[in-house]
Amino acid sequence: MIDRYSRPEMTNIWSQARKYETWLQVELAACEVMEKQGHVPRGVAARIRRKVTINPTRIEAIERVVKHDVIAFLESITEQAGKEARHLHAGLTSSDILDTSLALQICEATDIILDNLVTLLETIRKRALEHQDTMMVGRSHGIHGEPISFGWKLAIWYQEFIRQQDRIRTVRKDIAVGKLSGAMGTFAHLSPAIEREVCRKLGLKPAPISSQIVQRDRHAAYVSALALLAASIENVGTEIRHLQRTEVLEAEEYFDIGQKGSSAMPHKRNPVGSENLCGLARVIRGNSLAALENVALWHERDISHSSVERIIIPDSTILMNYMLVRLTNILKNLQVYPARMMENLNLTGGLVYSQRLLLALIENGATRTKSYETVQQHAMTSWKKQGDFQTLIQQDAFITKHLSQKDITACFEPRSYVRHQKQIFSRVFGSKAMHAPKISEKPKSTTSAKRRMNRARSQSTKE
């Protein structure tokens, strides 16, 4: 039998059934703590757990009458558990259950996102090491700049996603808070000790102080972090789209057997995956704005945030899960064309080596102004197809006065531009670039919290 609390698909976390199961988990955890402190007869939580089965259809039928989701949930529990159900929700308010349960769901969703992020990072690392010697032209303003390696580009992506991983871990810790402080958050009917123990059982921290709700700056920070991660995915997707352009064609998404690119043009091979990711990034970015607008609420709470969160938090985590998996597959199967990269690198006839020539002249005693003007003059002549750049340089009396033919030839060597790459790769990937960095290692607090949540689930829900 599969453990019902083993990690579900992301969409299952946000199902109605899972939401009600999590509500019950929080209610029973509170009941168990109150039993230990003598406020509720011993064994009540265990007996309710044995009797109750979550029935979303029944809960929703009651809600159509009472017009309140938590009351409908509690009435459905009472129908099954009988009089002992009166011990549930004692001293609590709806937001105690809703916000604490939401924290559990977000934490579970975030752990899936973090695992997928680890897989993406490992994929980028492997491709970066694979292409550390694959030379290509670097571009500034979309215009050829100077030589780089394709592995260098991938290493930059890797470091960007490492930063995003750190941000997601931070907001996961920040969102992992619960509250059982009652209607105005003043603990008028329950003690902070009960809240503290319930949160411990659930793998959460108690909010140091709250109103009727957990303050929404936490949730805004969480969705904003997802938006930042989506922006990095969009960054990679945009680059792949450019590299796949017909005029560039240095890399392209894998085109599967039987795949079609256009209903009208049989020759088309489009970067549809990357385009899809760029579009979805806009959705999560928009959701982050909605989360920011949820921060300002009336007095101790209103529910204007509730309807928004029921959309943006499930949607954002589900979308992010999808985006990470899809980007990983795109990069894993990305078709890279080193010969085309070299062809494009040489497209300008060596103009990309102009700065190296400039610096060589300066290092050998020429003035910067005269050196710049001379190199630029020959570059513009070559750009107009009125001569080969290297030949023009080799024939210039001012340049040959300061540089030998060997010196000039050395300036046109592309690999000299990445001569420090090994050192930089060691900074990015660790001292031994051929070995994976410990990117999968999670903070101890996260791991122990997950274990506590799993134990709480197994204790607090009917088998």
Side-chain angles (χ1 to χ4, degrees), residues 91-93 96 179 181-186 189 211-213 300-301:
L92 302 178
T93 189
D96 291 331
K179 65 140 314 211
S181 53
M184 292 296 109
T186 59
H189 309 289
S211 60
Q212 190 162 340
I213 60 168
E300 279 55 62
R301 63 90 64 128

Side-chain angles (χ1 to χ4, degrees), residues 4 24 28 32 35 42-54 77 80-81 84 458-463:
R4 66 182 295 188
L24 181 59
L28 291 176
E32 288 169 348
E35 285 182 30
R42 288 279 184 171
V44 168
R47 287 191 291 272
I48 292 175
R49 186 180 299 113
R50 286 195 296 270
K51 292 178 180 179
V52 170
T53 299
I54 293 296
I77 301 301
Q80 301 174 69
E84 285 192 314
S458 62
Q459 294 169 2
S460 303
T461 307
K462 184 178 177 181
E463 295 297 328

Side-chain angles (χ1 to χ4, degrees), residues 229-299:
L229 178 52
S232 291
I233 293 173
E234 182 181 19
N235 183 32
V236 174
T238 299
E239 181 68 12
I240 292 171
R241 291 165 63 191
H242 170 72
L243 295 178
Q244 188 164 336
R245 289 172 55 205
T246 308
E247 306 94 306
V248 180
L249 201 58
E250 294 175 356
E252 68 173 335
E253 292 181 12
Y254 179 74
F255 198 78
D256 211 346
I257 297 172
Q259 185 175 342
K260 303 290 190 294
S262 168
S263 63
M265 298 169 282
H267 71 279
K268 295 295 292 296
R269 293 161 65 103
N270 305 320
V272 292
S274 297
E275 290 175 334
N276 172 254
L277 293 175
C278 290
L280 293 178
R282 299 168 191 167
V283 176
I284 298 184
R285 199 153 50 238
N287 288 348
S288 71
L289 176 58
L292 288 167
E293 292 180 343
N294 275 350
V295 175
L297 302 173
W298 286 17
H299 305 298

Side-chain angles (χ1 to χ4, degrees), residues 175-195:
I175 203 71
V177 299
K179 65 140 314 211
L180 287 91
S181 53
M184 292 296 109
T186 59
F187 297 97
H189 309 289
L190 291 180
S191 71
I194 291 175
E195 178 191 66

